[in-house]
Amino acid sequence: MQKEKTKDVLARLIGASGKRPTEVARESGVAQSTLSRILQGKIESPTDRQLQKLAEYFGVTTDQLRGRQPVDLADLFSLRTHDLPKSKDVAPAPQATGMCPEISWVQAGAWTEVCHVERDPDAITWHPRPAGASEQTFVLRVVGESMVPEYLPGTLIYVDPERAPENGKDVVAVMTETGEATFKRLIEEPGHGRMLKALNPAWHEPYIKINGNCRVVGVVVADMRLR
């Protein structure tokens, strides 16, 4: 089994903590430039010295950060909550419950079949499931630029198949002719029916009319981006 890369382990830990990478760098004492380069994969094999402060901050070992040992994110949902400063301007974050898998866009195209297949938890990347999302929620990594500037390439989107697609919601749909999945905003215009809209104002084909040529797989209920 191929071990998980350090940048992916760190991304999951940061996601579970509810912090931004800039906050993690400041609070852990790690140089922001170092953390950013690790997350971007520019430092593929960080030294123990580079990882030690991050390991202490997250309460894991350097071997876990290197993907040599598994990390149980269930123990990280309440990460450092007893040490967080109290502020009347900040409300507590909603509690994440359970995990959801990060899948490929090919799998997304056949999610109805894929989601019921028993998955090996060691062969897939898992992310904390957002509060209120169903157990069928899955994660996709945005590719392409059709949804910029709101969703940059590499952004993780959480897609809930149980959420009803409504006007103005961002959805993942499967084109029935090709079986390919696409990520767009669902628009319903009087007299024009339902359409899928690309948010990129410079996109060559900003609208796809829905006329039986696609089916909505799920609604985007959350997203996570590394900064």
Coordinates of all heavy atoms in Angstrom, one line a residue, residues 80-171:
R80 N -7.4 21.2 20.5 CA -7.0 22.4 21.2 C -8.1 23.4 21.5 O -7.9 24.6 21.7 CB -6.0 23.2 20.4 CG -4.6 22.6 20.5 CD -3.6 23.3 19.6 NE -2.2 23.2 20.1 CZ -1.5 22.1 20.2 NH1 -2.1 21.0 19.9 NH2 -0.3 22.1 20.7
T81 N -9.4 22.9 21.6 CA -10.5 23.8 22.0 C -10.3 24.4 23.4 O -10.8 25.5 23.6 CB -11.8 23.0 21.9 OG1 -11.7 21.9 22.7 CG2 -12.1 22.6 20.5
H82 N -9.6 23.7 24.3 CA -9.5 24.2 25.6 C -8.4 25.3 25.7 O -8.4 26.0 26.6 CB -9.1 23.0 26.6 CG -7.8 22.4 26.2 ND1 -7.7 21.5 25.1 CD2 -6.5 22.5 26.7 CE1 -6.5 21.0 25.0 NE2 -5.7 21.6 26.0
D83 N -7.6 25.4 24.6 CA -6.6 26.4 24.6 C -7.0 27.7 23.7 O -6.3 28.7 23.7 CB -5.3 25.9 23.9 CG -4.7 24.8 24.8 OD1 -4.9 24.9 26.1 OD2 -4.0 23.9 24.3
L84 N -8.1 27.6 23.1 CA -8.5 28.7 22.2 C -9.0 29.9 23.0 O -9.7 29.7 24.0 CB -9.7 28.2 21.2 CG -9.3 27.1 20.2 CD1 -10.5 26.7 19.4 CD2 -8.2 27.6 19.3
P85 N -8.6 31.1 22.6 CA -9.1 32.3 23.3 C -10.6 32.4 23.1 O -11.1 32.2 22.0 CB -8.3 33.4 22.6 CG -8.0 32.9 21.3 CD -7.7 31.4 21.4
K86 N -11.3 32.9 24.1 CA -12.7 33.1 24.1 C -12.9 34.5 23.5 O -12.3 35.5 23.8 CB -13.3 33.0 25.5 CG -13.1 31.7 26.1 CD -13.8 30.6 25.4 CE -13.7 29.3 26.1 NZ -12.4 28.7 26.3
S87 N -13.9 34.6 22.5 CA -14.2 35.9 21.9 C -15.7 36.0 21.7 O -16.3 35.0 21.2 CB -13.4 36.0 20.5 OG -13.9 37.1 19.8
K88 N -16.2 37.1 22.0 CA -17.6 37.3 21.8 C -18.0 37.5 20.3 O -19.1 37.5 19.9 CB -18.1 38.6 22.5 CG -17.4 39.9 22.1 CD -17.9 41.1 22.9 CE -17.3 42.4 22.4 NZ -17.7 43.5 23.2
D89 N -16.9 37.7 19.5 CA -17.1 37.9 18.0 C -17.1 36.6 17.3 O -17.4 36.6 16.1 CB -16.1 38.9 17.5 CG -16.1 40.2 18.1 OD1 -17.2 40.7 18.4 OD2 -15.1 40.8 18.4
V90 N -16.7 35.5 17.9 CA -16.5 34.3 17.2 C -17.4 33.2 17.8 O -17.3 32.9 19.0 CB -15.0 33.8 17.2 CG1 -14.9 32.5 16.4 CG2 -14.2 34.9 16.6
A91 N -18.3 32.6 17.0 CA -19.1 31.5 17.5 C -18.4 30.2 17.4 O -17.5 30.0 16.5 CB -20.4 31.5 16.8
P92 N -18.7 29.2 18.2 CA -18.1 27.9 18.1 C -18.4 27.3 16.7 O -19.5 27.5 16.2 CB -18.8 27.1 19.2 CG -19.3 28.1 20.1 CD -19.7 29.3 19.3
A93 N -17.4 26.6 16.1 CA -17.6 25.9 14.8 C -18.6 24.8 15.0 O -18.6 24.1 16.0 CB -16.3 25.4 14.3
P94 N -19.4 24.5 14.0 CA -20.3 23.3 14.0 C -19.5 22.1 14.1 O -18.4 21.9 13.6 CB -21.1 23.4 12.7 CG -20.2 24.2 11.8 CD -19.5 25.2 12.7
Q95 N -20.0 21.1 14.9 CA -19.3 19.8 15.1 C -19.4 18.9 13.9 O -20.4 18.7 13.3 CB -20.0 19.1 16.3 CG -19.2 17.8 16.7 CD -17.9 18.1 17.3 OE1 -17.7 19.1 17.9 NE2 -17.0 17.2 17.1
A96 N -18.2 18.5 13.4 CA -18.1 17.6 12.3 C -18.4 16.2 12.8 O -18.0 15.8 13.9 CB -16.7 17.6 11.6
T97 N -19.1 15.4 12.1 CA -19.5 14.0 12.5 C -19.2 13.1 11.4 O -19.8 13.2 10.3 CB -21.0 13.9 12.9 OG1 -21.8 14.4 11.8 CG2 -21.2 14.8 14.1
G98 N -18.3 12.1 11.6 CA -18.0 11.1 10.6 C -17.0 11.6 9.6 O -16.5 12.7 9.7
M99 N -16.8 10.8 8.6 CA -15.8 11.1 7.5 C -16.5 10.9 6.2 O -17.5 10.1 6.0 CB -14.6 10.2 7.7 CG -14.0 10.2 9.1 SD -13.2 11.8 9.5 CE -11.7 11.7 8.4
C100 N -15.9 11.5 5.2 CA -16.4 11.3 3.8 C -15.2 11.1 2.9 O -14.2 11.7 3.1 CB -17.3 12.4 3.3 SG -16.8 14.1 3.6
P101 N -15.3 10.3 1.8 CA -14.2 10.0 1.0 C -13.9 11.0 -0.1 O -14.9 11.6 -0.6 CB -14.6 8.6 0.4 CG -16.1 8.8 0.2 CD -16.5 9.6 1.5
E102 N -12.7 11.2 -0.4 CA -12.3 12.0 -1.6 C -12.2 11.0 -2.8 O -11.4 10.1 -2.8 CB -11.0 12.7 -1.4 CG -10.5 13.5 -2.6 CD -9.2 14.2 -2.4 OE1 -8.8 14.4 -1.2 OE2 -8.5 14.5 -3.4
I103 N -13.0 11.3 -3.8 CA -13.1 10.4 -4.9 C -12.6 11.1 -6.2 O -12.4 12.3 -6.2 CB -14.5 9.8 -5.1 CG1 -15.5 10.9 -5.6 CG2 -14.9 9.1 -3.9 CD1 -16.8 10.3 -5.9
S104 N -12.5 10.3 -7.3 CA -12.1 10.9 -8.6 C -13.3 11.4 -9.3 O -14.4 11.0 -9.0 CB -11.3 9.9 -9.4 OG -12.2 8.9 -9.9
W105 N -13.1 12.2 -10.3 CA -14.2 12.7 -11.1 C -14.8 11.6 -12.0 O -16.0 11.6 -12.3 CB -13.8 13.9 -12.0 CG -13.6 15.1 -11.3 CD1 -12.5 15.6 -10.6 CD2 -14.6 16.1 -11.0 NE1 -12.8 16.8 -9.9 CE2 -14.1 17.1 -10.2 CE3 -16.0 16.2 -11.4 CZ2 -14.8 18.2 -9.8 CZ3 -16.7 17.3 -11.0 CH2 -16.1 18.3 -10.2
V106 N -14.0 10.6 -12.3 CA -14.5 9.4 -13.0 C -15.5 8.7 -12.1 O -16.6 8.3 -12.5 CB -13.4 8.5 -13.4 CG1 -14.0 7.2 -14.0 CG2 -12.5 9.1 -14.5
Q107 N -15.2 8.5 -10.8 CA -16.0 7.9 -9.8 C -17.3 8.7 -9.6 O -18.4 8.1 -9.4 CB -15.3 7.6 -8.5 CG -14.2 6.6 -8.6 CD -13.5 6.5 -7.3 OE1 -13.0 7.5 -6.7 NE2 -13.3 5.3 -6.7
A108 N -17.2 10.0 -9.6 CA -18.3 10.9 -9.4 C -19.4 10.7 -10.5 O -20.6 10.8 -10.3 CB -17.9 12.3 -9.4
G109 N -18.9 10.3 -11.7 CA -19.8 10.1 -12.8 C -20.7 8.9 -12.6 O -21.7 8.7 -13.2
A110 N -20.3 8.0 -11.7 CA -21.0 6.8 -11.5 C -21.3 6.6 -10.0 O -21.2 5.5 -9.4 CB -20.3 5.5 -12.0
W111 N -21.5 7.7 -9.3 CA -21.6 7.7 -7.8 C -22.7 6.8 -7.3 O -22.6 6.2 -6.3 CB -21.7 9.1 -7.3 CG -21.7 9.1 -5.8 CD1 -22.7 9.5 -4.9 CD2 -20.7 8.7 -4.9 NE1 -22.4 9.3 -3.6 CE2 -21.1 8.9 -3.6 CE3 -19.4 8.3 -5.1 CZ2 -20.3 8.6 -2.5 CZ3 -18.6 8.0 -4.0 CH2 -19.1 8.1 -2.7
T112 N -23.8 6.8 -8.0 CA -24.9 5.9 -7.5 C -24.5 4.5 -7.3 O -24.9 3.8 -6.3 CB -26.1 5.9 -8.6 OG1 -26.5 7.3 -8.8 CG2 -27.3 5.1 -8.1
E113 N -23.6 4.0 -8.2 CA -23.1 2.7 -8.0 C -21.9 2.6 -7.0 O -21.8 1.8 -6.2 CB -22.6 2.1 -9.3 CG -23.7 1.8 -10.3 CD -24.2 3.1 -11.0 OE1 -23.4 4.1 -11.1 OE2 -25.4 3.2 -11.4
V114 N -21.0 3.6 -7.1 CA -19.8 3.6 -6.4 C -20.0 3.8 -4.9 O -19.4 3.1 -4.0 CB -18.8 4.8 -6.8 CG1 -17.6 4.9 -5.9 CG2 -18.4 4.6 -8.2
C115 N -21.0 4.6 -4.5 CA -21.2 5.0 -3.1 C -21.7 3.8 -2.3 O -21.6 3.8 -1.0 CB -22.2 6.1 -2.9 SG -23.9 5.7 -3.4
H116 N -22.2 2.7 -2.9 CA -22.7 1.6 -2.1 C -21.6 0.4 -2.1 O -21.9 -0.6 -1.5 CB -24.0 1.1 -2.7 CG -25.1 2.1 -2.6 ND1 -25.6 2.5 -1.4 CD2 -25.8 2.7 -3.5 CE1 -26.6 3.4 -1.6 NE2 -26.7 3.5 -2.9
V117 N -20.5 0.7 -2.7 CA -19.5 -0.4 -2.7 C -18.6 -0.2 -1.5 O -18.2 0.9 -1.1 CB -18.6 -0.2 -4.0 CG1 -17.4 -1.2 -3.9 CG2 -19.4 -0.5 -5.2
E118 N -18.3 -1.4 -0.8 CA -17.4 -1.3 0.3 C -16.1 -0.8 0.0 O -15.4 -1.3 -1.0 CB -17.3 -2.8 0.9 CG -16.5 -2.8 2.2 CD -17.3 -2.1 3.4 OE1 -18.5 -2.1 3.3 OE2 -16.6 -1.7 4.3
R119 N -15.6 0.2 0.7 CA -14.3 0.8 0.3 C -13.3 0.5 1.4 O -13.6 0.5 2.6 CB -14.5 2.4 0.2 CG -15.4 2.8 -0.9 CD -15.5 4.3 -0.9 NE -16.2 4.8 0.2 CZ -17.5 5.1 0.3 NH1 -18.3 4.8 -0.7 NH2 -18.0 5.6 1.4
D120 N -12.1 0.3 0.9 CA -11.0 0.0 1.9 C -10.5 1.4 2.4 O -10.0 2.2 1.7 CB -9.8 -0.6 1.1 CG -8.6 -0.8 2.0 OD1 -8.7 -0.6 3.2 OD2 -7.5 -1.3 1.4
P121 N -10.7 1.6 3.8 CA -10.4 2.9 4.4 C -8.9 3.3 4.3 O -8.6 4.4 4.3 CB -10.8 2.7 5.8 CG -10.8 1.3 6.1 CD -11.2 0.6 4.8
D122 N -8.1 2.3 4.0 CA -6.6 2.6 3.9 C -6.2 2.9 2.5 O -5.1 3.3 2.3 CB -5.8 1.4 4.4 CG -5.9 1.2 5.9 OD1 -6.1 2.1 6.6 OD2 -5.9 0.0 6.3
A123 N -7.1 2.8 1.6 CA -6.8 3.0 0.2 C -7.4 4.3 -0.4 O -7.4 4.5 -1.6 CB -7.2 1.8 -0.7
I124 N -8.0 5.1 0.5 CA -8.6 6.3 0.1 C -8.4 7.4 1.1 O -8.1 7.2 2.3 CB -10.2 6.0 -0.1 CG1 -10.8 7.1 -1.0 CG2 -10.8 6.0 1.3 CD1 -12.2 6.6 -1.4
T125 N -8.5 8.7 0.6 CA -8.3 9.8 1.5 C -9.6 10.2 2.1 O -10.6 10.3 1.3 CB -7.7 11.0 0.7 OG1 -6.4 10.6 0.2 CG2 -7.5 12.2 1.7
W126 N -9.7 10.4 3.4 CA -10.9 10.7 4.1 C -10.9 12.1 4.7 O -9.8 12.5 5.1 CB -11.2 9.7 5.2 CG -11.5 8.3 4.6 CD1 -10.6 7.4 4.3 CD2 -12.8 7.7 4.3 NE1 -11.2 6.2 3.8 CE2 -12.5 6.4 3.8 CE3 -14.1 8.2 4.5 CZ2 -13.5 5.6 3.4 CZ3 -15.1 7.3 4.1 CH2 -14.8 6.1 3.6
H127 N -12.0 12.8 4.7 CA -12.1 14.2 5.3 C -13.2 14.2 6.2 O -14.2 13.5 6.1 CB -12.3 15.2 4.1 CG -11.2 15.2 3.1 ND1 -10.0 15.9 3.3 CD2 -11.1 14.6 1.9 CE1 -9.2 15.8 2.2 NE2 -9.8 14.9 1.4
P128 N -13.1 15.1 7.3 CA -14.2 15.2 8.2 C -15.5 15.7 7.5 O -15.4 16.6 6.6 CB -13.7 16.3 9.2 CG -12.2 16.3 9.1 CD -11.9 15.9 7.7
R129 N -16.6 15.0 7.8 CA -17.9 15.4 7.2 C -18.5 16.6 7.8 O -18.6 16.7 9.0 CB -18.8 14.2 7.3 CG -20.1 14.4 6.4 CD -20.9 13.1 6.3 NE -21.5 12.7 7.5 CZ -21.2 11.5 8.1 NH1 -20.4 10.7 7.5 NH2 -21.7 11.1 9.3
P130 N -18.9 17.6 7.0 CA -19.5 18.8 7.6 C -20.7 18.6 8.3 O -21.5 17.6 8.0 CB -19.8 19.7 6.3 CG -18.9 19.1 5.3 CD -18.8 17.7 5.5
A131 N -21.0 19.4 9.4 CA -22.2 19.2 10.1 C -23.4 19.4 9.2 O -23.5 20.3 8.4 CB -22.3 20.3 11.2
G132 N -24.4 18.5 9.4 CA -25.6 18.5 8.6 C -25.6 17.8 7.3 O -26.6 17.6 6.6
A133 N -24.4 17.4 6.9 CA -24.3 16.6 5.6 C -24.6 15.2 5.8 O -24.4 14.6 6.9 CB -22.9 16.8 5.1
S134 N -25.2 14.5 4.8 CA -25.6 13.1 4.9 C -24.4 12.2 4.8 O -23.3 12.6 4.5 CB -26.5 12.8 3.8 OG -25.8 12.6 2.5
E135 N -24.6 11.0 5.2 CA -23.5 10.0 5.2 C -23.1 9.6 3.8 O -22.0 9.0 3.6 CB -24.0 8.7 5.9 CG -24.3 8.8 7.4 CD -24.7 7.5 8.0 OE1 -24.8 6.5 7.3 OE2 -24.9 7.5 9.2
Q136 N -23.8 10.0 2.8 CA -23.4 9.8 1.4 C -22.5 10.9 0.8 O -22.1 10.8 -0.4 CB -24.7 9.6 0.5 CG -25.6 8.5 0.9 CD -24.9 7.1 0.8 OE1 -24.0 6.9 0.0 NE2 -25.3 6.2 1.6
T137 N -22.2 11.9 1.6 CA -21.4 13.0 1.1 C -20.0 12.5 0.7 O -19.4 11.7 1.4 CB -21.3 14.1 2.2 OG1 -22.6 14.6 2.5 CG2 -20.5 15.2 1.8
F138 N -19.6 13.1 -0.4 CA -18.2 12.7 -0.9 C -17.5 14.0 -1.2 O -18.1 15.1 -1.3 CB -18.2 11.8 -2.1 CG -19.0 12.3 -3.3 CD1 -18.3 13.0 -4.2 CD2 -20.4 12.1 -3.4 CE1 -19.0 13.5 -5.4 CE2 -21.1 12.5 -4.5 CZ -20.4 13.2 -5.5
V139 N -16.2 13.9 -1.4 CA -15.3 15.1 -1.7 C -14.7 15.0 -3.1 O -14.2 13.9 -3.5 CB -14.2 15.2 -0.6 CG1 -13.2 16.3 -0.9 CG2 -14.8 15.4 0.8
L140 N -14.7 16.1 -3.8 CA -14.0 16.2 -5.1 C -13.0 17.3 -5.0 O -13.2 18.3 -4.3 CB -15.0 16.4 -6.2 CG -16.0 15.3 -6.6 CD1 -17.0 15.8 -7.5 CD2 -15.2 14.2 -7.2
R141 N -11.9 17.2 -5.8 CA -10.9 18.2 -5.9 C -11.2 19.0 -7.2 O -11.2 18.3 -8.3 CB -9.5 17.7 -5.8 CG -8.4 18.7 -5.7 CD -7.1 18.0 -5.5 NE -7.0 17.2 -4.3 CZ -6.6 17.7 -3.1 NH1 -6.2 19.0 -3.0 NH2 -6.5 16.9 -2.1
V142 N -11.4 20.3 -7.1 CA -11.8 21.0 -8.3 C -10.6 21.0 -9.3 O -9.5 21.2 -9.0 CB -12.1 22.5 -7.9 CG1 -12.3 23.3 -9.2 CG2 -13.4 22.5 -7.1
V143 N -11.0 20.7 -10.6 CA -10.0 20.8 -11.7 C -10.5 21.8 -12.7 O -11.8 21.9 -12.8 CB -9.7 19.4 -12.3 CG1 -9.1 18.5 -11.3 CG2 -11.0 18.8 -12.8
G144 N -9.7 22.4 -13.4 CA -10.1 23.4 -14.4 C -10.5 24.7 -13.8 O -10.5 24.9 -12.6
E145 N -10.9 25.6 -14.7 CA -11.1 27.0 -14.3 C -12.5 27.5 -14.6 O -12.8 28.7 -14.6 CB -10.1 27.9 -14.9 CG -8.7 27.6 -14.5 CD -7.7 28.6 -15.0 OE1 -8.0 29.4 -15.9 OE2 -6.5 28.6 -14.6
S146 N -13.5 26.6 -14.8 CA -14.8 27.1 -15.2 C -15.5 27.7 -14.0 O -16.5 28.5 -14.2 CB -15.7 25.9 -15.7 OG -15.9 25.0 -14.6
M147 N -15.1 27.5 -12.8 CA -15.8 28.1 -11.6 C -15.0 29.1 -10.9 O -15.3 29.5 -9.7 CB -16.2 27.0 -10.7 CG -17.3 26.0 -11.3 SD -18.9 26.8 -11.6 CE -19.6 26.7 -9.9
V148 N -13.9 29.6 -11.5 CA -13.1 30.7 -10.8 C -13.9 32.0 -11.1 O -14.7 32.1 -12.0 CB -11.7 30.8 -11.4 CG1 -10.9 29.5 -11.2 CG2 -11.7 31.2 -12.9
P149 N -13.8 33.0 -10.2 CA -12.8 33.0 -9.1 C -13.3 32.4 -7.8 O -12.6 32.4 -6.8 CB -12.6 34.5 -8.9 CG -14.0 35.1 -9.3 CD -14.5 34.2 -10.4
E150 N -14.6 32.0 -7.7 CA -15.1 31.5 -6.5 C -14.5 30.1 -6.0 O -14.3 29.9 -4.9 CB -16.6 31.3 -6.6 CG -17.3 31.0 -5.2 CD -18.8 31.2 -5.2 OE1 -19.3 32.0 -6.1 OE2 -19.5 30.7 -4.4
Y151 N -14.2 29.3 -7.0 CA -13.6 28.0 -6.7 C -12.3 27.9 -7.6 O -12.4 27.7 -8.8 CB -14.5 26.8 -7.1 CG -15.8 26.8 -6.3 CD1 -17.0 27.5 -6.8 CD2 -15.9 26.2 -5.0 CE1 -18.2 27.4 -6.1 CE2 -17.1 26.2 -4.3 CZ -18.2 26.8 -4.9 OH -19.4 26.8 -4.2
L152 N -11.2 27.9 -6.9 CA -9.9 27.8 -7.6 C -9.6 26.3 -7.8 O -10.0 25.5 -7.0 CB -8.8 28.5 -6.8 CG -9.0 30.0 -6.6 CD1 -7.9 30.5 -5.7 CD2 -9.1 30.8 -7.9
P153 N -8.8 26.0 -8.8 CA -8.3 24.6 -9.0 C -7.6 24.1 -7.7 O -6.8 24.8 -7.1 CB -7.3 24.7 -10.2 CG -7.8 25.9 -11.0 CD -8.3 26.9 -9.9
G154 N -8.0 22.9 -7.3 CA -7.4 22.3 -6.1 C -8.3 22.5 -4.9 O -8.1 21.8 -3.9
T155 N -9.3 23.3 -5.0 CA -10.3 23.5 -3.9 C -11.0 22.1 -3.7 O -11.4 21.5 -4.6 CB -11.3 24.6 -4.2 OG1 -10.6 25.8 -4.3 CG2 -12.3 24.7 -3.0
L156 N -11.2 21.8 -2.4 CA -12.0 20.6 -2.1 C -13.4 21.0 -1.9 O -13.7 21.9 -1.2 CB -11.5 19.9 -0.8 CG -10.0 19.4 -0.8 CD1 -9.6 18.8 0.5 CD2 -9.8 18.3 -1.9
I157 N -14.3 20.3 -2.7 CA -15.8 20.6 -2.5 C -16.4 19.3 -1.9 O -16.1 18.2 -2.3 CB -16.4 21.0 -3.8 CG1 -16.2 19.9 -4.9 CG2 -15.9 22.3 -4.3 CD1 -16.9 20.2 -6.2
Y158 N -17.4 19.6 -1.0 CA -18.1 18.5 -0.4 C -19.5 18.4 -1.0 O -20.3 19.4 -1.0 CB -18.2 18.8 1.1 CG -16.9 18.8 1.9 CD1 -16.0 19.8 1.7 CD2 -16.6 17.7 2.7 CE1 -14.8 19.8 2.3 CE2 -15.3 17.7 3.4 CZ -14.4 18.7 3.2 OH -13.2 18.7 3.8
V159 N -19.8 17.3 -1.6 CA -21.0 17.1 -2.4 C -21.9 16.1 -1.7 O -21.6 15.0 -1.4 CB -20.6 16.5 -3.8 CG1 -21.9 16.5 -4.7 CG2 -19.6 17.4 -4.5
D160 N -23.2 16.6 -1.4 CA -24.2 15.8 -0.7 C -25.3 15.3 -1.7 O -26.1 16.2 -2.2 CB -24.8 16.6 0.4 CG -25.7 15.8 1.3 OD1 -26.0 14.6 1.0 OD2 -26.0 16.3 2.4
P161 N -25.3 14.1 -2.0 CA -26.4 13.6 -2.9 C -27.8 13.6 -2.4 O -28.7 13.5 -3.1 CB -25.9 12.1 -3.2 CG -24.5 12.0 -2.8 CD -24.4 13.0 -1.6
E162 N -27.9 13.8 -1.0 CA -29.2 13.8 -0.4 C -29.8 15.2 -0.4 O -31.0 15.3 0.0 CB -29.1 13.2 1.0 CG -28.5 11.8 1.1 CD -29.4 10.8 0.5 OE1 -30.7 11.0 0.6 OE2 -28.9 9.9 -0.2
R163 N -29.0 16.2 -0.7 CA -29.5 17.6 -0.7 C -30.2 17.9 -2.0 O -29.7 17.6 -3.1 CB -28.3 18.6 -0.5 CG -28.7 20.0 -0.1 CD -29.3 20.0 1.3 NE -28.4 19.6 2.3 CZ -27.5 20.4 3.0 NH1 -27.5 21.7 2.6 NH2 -26.8 19.9 3.9
A164 N -31.4 18.5 -1.9 CA -32.2 18.8 -3.1 C -31.6 19.9 -3.9 O -31.2 21.0 -3.3 CB -33.6 19.2 -2.6
P165 N -31.4 19.8 -5.2 CA -30.8 20.8 -6.0 C -31.9 21.9 -6.2 O -33.0 21.7 -6.7 CB -30.5 20.1 -7.3 CG -31.5 18.9 -7.3 CD -31.7 18.5 -5.9
E166 N -31.5 23.1 -5.9 CA -32.4 24.3 -6.0 C -31.7 25.4 -6.8 O -30.5 25.4 -7.0 CB -32.8 24.8 -4.6 CG -33.5 23.8 -3.7 CD -33.7 24.3 -2.3 OE1 -33.1 25.4 -1.9 OE2 -34.4 23.7 -1.5
N167 N -32.5 26.3 -7.2 CA -32.0 27.4 -8.0 C -30.9 28.2 -7.3 O -31.1 28.5 -6.1 CB -33.1 28.4 -8.4 CG -32.7 29.6 -9.2 OD1 -31.8 29.4 -10.1 ND2 -33.2 30.7 -9.0
G168 N -29.8 28.4 -7.9 CA -28.7 29.1 -7.3 C -27.7 28.2 -6.6 O -26.6 28.8 -6.1
K169 N -28.0 26.9 -6.5 CA -27.0 26.0 -5.8 C -25.9 25.6 -6.7 O -26.2 25.4 -7.9 CB -27.8 24.8 -5.2 CG -28.8 25.2 -4.2 CD -28.2 25.7 -2.9 CE -29.2 25.8 -1.8 NZ -28.6 26.3 -0.5
D170 N -24.8 25.3 -6.2 CA -23.7 24.8 -6.9 C -23.8 23.2 -6.9 O -23.9 22.7 -5.8 CB -22.3 25.2 -6.4 CG -22.2 26.7 -6.5 OD1 -22.7 27.3 -7.5 OD2 -21.5 27.3 -5.6
V171 N -23.7 22.6 -8.0 CA -24.0 21.2 -8.1 C -23.0 20.5 -9.0 O -22.3 21.1 -9.7 CB -25.4 20.9 -8.7 CG1 -26.5 21.6 -7.9 CG2 -25.5 21.4 -10.2

